[in-house]
């Protein structure tokens, strides 16, 4: 196995003896064998051990074993204790997920702080089988069938072509001592159940299970690349990116055969769950639901007449109190300038007579029941009705700001329309121009 391992390292140019590598080591069979293989090939990896404190004295013994291994071979050694149970509770994640998050966060800290070139883990062919089966059980697209990549940035998994049986045989031949985690024999965790119960049954059907899955994942990886290229082209056809929003042309997308897949590609990474994506696809296909909104923790997608509009959710701004004229002049969002004579305001401008201002004024978001008198009209109108008549999109309705005078009258729907009550009269001289600062 040593020769096959060395050939695999050289053939794929994973790393050289001049580069600094960090090996994640638990003390178990897989990572201990990987450490011995690397040392036998002339590499000097640093060892990093996570003590999750889940097995009492056994966890302490694991850490001491790894430390002794590093000392024996004069390797640099890092270790850290983690309170996995506490982290899982605080982040609403199970023990295994919490351990994974903590482990990789720490590994990347070590990589940055010590200028290591690569992090190595001891995943092998059996892990590919387990991961693929887990993804299938949870529901997956083609990306979930790609298995475990040998390279992922600075993370390398050099044992993926080798089976568990090969590692066990090599350890026995070389008399390599290692720690045994007896909890792996328990099947209460999903991965352990698949490893202990499902995989042995599948192996009775196909004794070369790991080799077959490894070959399949190589095919899936290539096919996933083809699918990704296709979806990327489709996404370009149906989307328009602006500085603050992504527009998805729902009218054109409606005629696509693969609406769900294209939307999944476009929306992945924004936190929309499977049910939301299904509902969005149905909305597009049936040409319905204008004004409907879908939210995630970070983004909002609104269905407009022609487009699906995706924007990041802005941080909620409190009401902005303007106690006096000096505060008005110093606002970060408005530029205030005195005018010697009236000039017609542009889209982001509002011209008003200074003597009409009543302090304190406020800038706030809209409220239910807000009314104003749009410029050019005699009667008042609900702000919501005005927005509907003007066909403002959902985001403009959600994020609009109002300049409200000290007498509680809305003076200006910022960026859209001023109130007719504040129309400049011909005799008024002390004029101010308020301009929105982008």
């Amino acid at each position: 196995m040593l020769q096959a391992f060395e050939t695999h390292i050289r053939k794929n140019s994973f790393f050289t003896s001049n580069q600094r590598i960090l090996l994640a080591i638990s003390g178990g069979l897989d990572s201990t064998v990987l450490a011995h293989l690397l040392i036998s090939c002339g590499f000097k990896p640093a060892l990093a051990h996570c003590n999750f404190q889940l097995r009492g004295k056994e966890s302490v013994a694991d850490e001491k074993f790894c430390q002794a291994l590093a000392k024996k071979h004069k390797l640099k050694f890092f270790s850290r204790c983690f309170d996995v149970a506490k982290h899982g509770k605080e982040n609403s994640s199970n023990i295994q997920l919490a351990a994974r998050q903590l482990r990789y966060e720490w590994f990347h800290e070590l990589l940055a702080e010590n200028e290591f070139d690569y992090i190595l883990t001891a995943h092998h062919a059996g892990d590919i089988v387990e991961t693929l089966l887990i993804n299938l059980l949870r529901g997956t697209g083609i990306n979930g069938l790609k298995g475990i990549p040998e390279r992922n940035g600075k993370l390398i998994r050099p044992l993926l072509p080798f089976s568990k049986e090969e590692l066990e045989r090599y350890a026995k031949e070389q008399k390599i001592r290692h720690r045994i985690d007896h909890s792996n024999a328990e099947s209460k965790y999903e991965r352990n159940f698949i490893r202990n119960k499902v995989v042995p049954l599948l192996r009775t059907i196909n004794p070369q299970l790991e080799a077959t899955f490894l070959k399949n994942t190589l095919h899936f990886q290539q096919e996933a690349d083809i699918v990704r290229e296709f979806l990327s082209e489709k996404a370009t056809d149906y989307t328009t990116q602006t500085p603050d929003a992504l527009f998805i042309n729902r009218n054109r997308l409606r005629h696509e055969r693969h609406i769900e897949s294209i939307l999944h590609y476009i929306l992945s990474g924004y936190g929309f769950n499977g049910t939301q994506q299904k509902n969005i696809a149905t909305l597009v296909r049936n040409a319905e639901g204008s004004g409907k909104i879908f939210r995630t923790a970070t983004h909002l997608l609104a269905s407009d007449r022609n487009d699906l509009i995706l924007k990041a959710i802005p941080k909620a701004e409190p009401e902005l109190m303007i106690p006096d004229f000096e505060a008005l002049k110093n606002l970060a969002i408005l530029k205030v300038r005195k005018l010697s004579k009236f000039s017609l305001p542009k889209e982001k401008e509002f011209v008003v007579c200074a003597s009409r201002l009543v302090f304190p004024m406020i800038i706030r978001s809209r409220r239910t029941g807000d009314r104003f008198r749009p410029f050019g009209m005699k009667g008042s109108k609900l702000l919501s009705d005005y927005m509907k008549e003007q066909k403002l999109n959902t985001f403009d309705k959600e994020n609009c700001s109002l300049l409200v005078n000290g007498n509680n009258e809305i003076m200006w729907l910022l960026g859209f329309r001023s109130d007719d009550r504040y129309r400049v009269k011909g005799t008024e001289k002390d004029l101010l121009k308020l301009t929105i600062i982008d």
Side-chain angles (χ1 to χ4, degrees):
M1 181 181 174
L2 177 60
Q3 184 176 353
F5 175 79
E6 188 168 14
T7 300
H8 181 60
I9 295 294
R10 308 296 182 197
K11 179 181 177 182
N12 291 279
S13 301
F14 285 143
F15 41 81
T16 66
S17 56
N18 295 325
Q19 292 177 307
R20 305 185 71 224
I21 55 179
L22 177 70
L23 170 61
I25 187 163
S26 66
L29 171 74
D30 307 338
S31 58
T32 305
V33 166
L34 178 53
H36 280 269
L37 287 168
L38 290 167
I39 293 166
S40 298
C41 290
F43 297 103
K44 300 283 287 184
L47 306 185
H49 176 77
C50 298
N51 183 346
F52 295 117
Q53 307 181 85
L54 295 172
R55 296 166 35 248
K57 294 181 180 179
E58 291 293 306
S59 293
V60 175
D62 290 345
E63 182 176 351
K64 289 182 177 179
F65 173 85
C66 294
Q67 187 174 21
L69 180 64
K71 184 177 181 180
K72 177 181 177 181
H73 295 282
K74 299 180 180 179
L75 305 175
K76 197 166 185 177
F77 180 71
F78 302 90
S79 65
R80 179 176 289 184
C81 293
F82 296 94
D83 191 339
V84 182
K86 180 181 177 182
H87 180 84
K89 186 176 181 180
E90 291 175 349
N91 294 275
S92 300
S93 58
N94 61 44
I95 292 294
Q96 290 186 318
L97 180 58
R100 175 183 171 81
Q101 290 172 338
L102 291 169
R103 177 168 64 242
Y104 280 103
E105 285 176 6
W106 181 52
F107 290 161
H108 283 92
E109 284 178 21
L110 288 175
L111 184 145
E113 292 171 0
N114 297 274
E115 298 182 342
F116 288 110
D117 295 294
Y118 297 105
I119 305 168
L120 274 57
T121 65
H123 292 90
H124 52 76
D127 292 304
I128 294 177
V129 175
E130 295 165 13
T131 299
L132 216 59
L133 291 174
I134 288 172
N135 288 345
L136 285 170
L137 289 170
R138 294 177 180 174
T140 184
I142 193 168
N143 282 333
L145 301 178
K146 291 165 60 177
I148 306 173
E150 284 191 309
R151 293 175 180 264
N152 186 6
K154 293 198 171 186
L155 176 63
I156 298 177
R157 303 176 175 97
L159 288 183
L160 281 186
F162 303 95
S163 69
K164 184 77 168 184
E165 287 73 18
E166 289 177 287
L167 301 181
E168 289 173 341
R169 188 163 51 248
Y170 182 78
K172 186 176 181 180
E173 291 171 355
Q174 301 299 317
K175 296 181 173 57
I176 297 173
R177 292 177 56 249
H178 58 87
R179 298 285 298 167
I180 297 176
D181 182 351
H182 296 286
S183 67
N184 286 333
E186 302 173 2
S187 297
K188 63 179 181 178
Y189 295 119
E190 182 181 42
R191 185 174 288 274
N192 283 7
F193 182 85
I194 289 173
R195 178 186 303 147
N196 300 331
K197 303 290 186 181
V198 178
V199 170
L201 291 175
L202 292 176
R203 200 177 282 121
T204 62
I205 301 172
N206 180 0
Q208 302 300 316
L209 187 68
E210 286 83 358
T212 300
F213 269 62
L214 179 61
K215 182 172 66 176
N216 284 338
T217 57
L218 294 176
H219 291 312
F220 293 147
Q221 287 168 13
Q222 294 180 12
E223 290 161 8
D225 289 341
I226 295 171
V227 171
R228 186 167 55 251
E229 289 177 10
F230 170 81
L231 291 174
S232 178
E233 292 176 4
K234 286 292 185 181
T236 302
D237 289 341
Y238 295 117
T239 59
T240 302
Q241 182 74 61
T242 67
D244 62 345
L246 177 70
F247 292 82
I248 307 168
N249 191 312
R250 55 177 289 183
N251 290 336
R252 292 182 55 225
L253 182 60
R254 182 164 63 90
H255 302 289
E256 261 291 346
R257 290 175 55 197
H258 310 292
I259 293 175
E260 287 83 0
S261 294
I262 296 171
L263 277 174
H264 177 73
Y265 179 82
I266 295 172
L267 298 178
S268 62
Y270 296 108
F272 294 98
N273 61 38
T275 300
Q276 287 176 310
Q277 292 190 32
K278 181 180 178 181
N279 291 338
I280 294 168
T282 300
L283 179 152
V284 171
R285 180 173 284 106
N286 296 337
E288 61 184 19
S290 180
K292 193 170 181 61
I293 296 175
F294 301 86
R295 298 175 186 271
T296 69
T298 57
H299 285 77
L300 184 149
L301 182 139
S303 172
D304 205 24
R305 288 172 297 279
N306 301 314
D307 300 288
L308 301 174
I309 309 171
L310 179 69
K311 283 188 177 183
I313 296 176
K315 293 182 179 179
E317 295 290 344
E319 289 187 356
L320 182 60
M321 181 67 69
I322 309 170
D324 50 37
F325 185 72
E326 192 66 26
L328 178 65
K329 289 194 303 180
N330 292 319
L331 285 178
I333 62 172
L334 292 177
K335 178 182 179 181
V336 180
R337 183 166 64 91
K338 292 184 178 182
L339 297 180
S340 57
K341 63 178 181 177
F342 176 78
S343 63
L344 194 67
K346 298 177 182 178
E347 181 182 7
K348 295 184 178 182
E349 298 175 345
F350 172 46
V351 176
V352 64
C353 177
S355 63
R356 304 267 210 102
L357 303 182
V358 180
F359 295 98
M361 301 163 60
I362 60 171
I363 294 176
R364 64 168 174 82
S365 58
R366 69 185 179 109
R367 299 171 182 165
T368 302
D370 274 338
R371 302 184 74 92
F372 83 131
R373 185 182 297 174
F375 185 87
M377 291 184 61
K378 292 184 178 180
S380 68
K381 184 181 288 290
L382 281 170
L383 185 61
S384 57
D385 289 341
Y386 168 78
M387 290 179 163
K388 186 175 182 180
E389 291 171 1
Q390 296 299 310
K391 298 181 179 179
L392 299 187
N393 68 46
T394 305
F395 283 101
D396 289 333
K397 295 176 185 177
E398 285 273 317
N399 300 320
C400 73
S401 295
L402 307 173
L403 178 63
V404 183
N405 210 2
N407 58 8
N408 289 325
E409 291 179 347
I410 294 173
M411 303 174 67
W412 184 27
L413 173 58
L414 272 68
F416 294 100
R417 196 77 164 259
S418 61
D419 189 290
D420 195 72
R421 290 169 292 186
Y422 293 88
R423 174 199 293 265
V424 174
K425 298 174 183 178
T427 57
E428 293 176 322
K429 301 292 185 180
D430 53 338
L431 304 182
L432 300 174
K433 179 187 284 187
L434 279 61
T435 306
I436 297 173
I437 300 174
D438 292 326

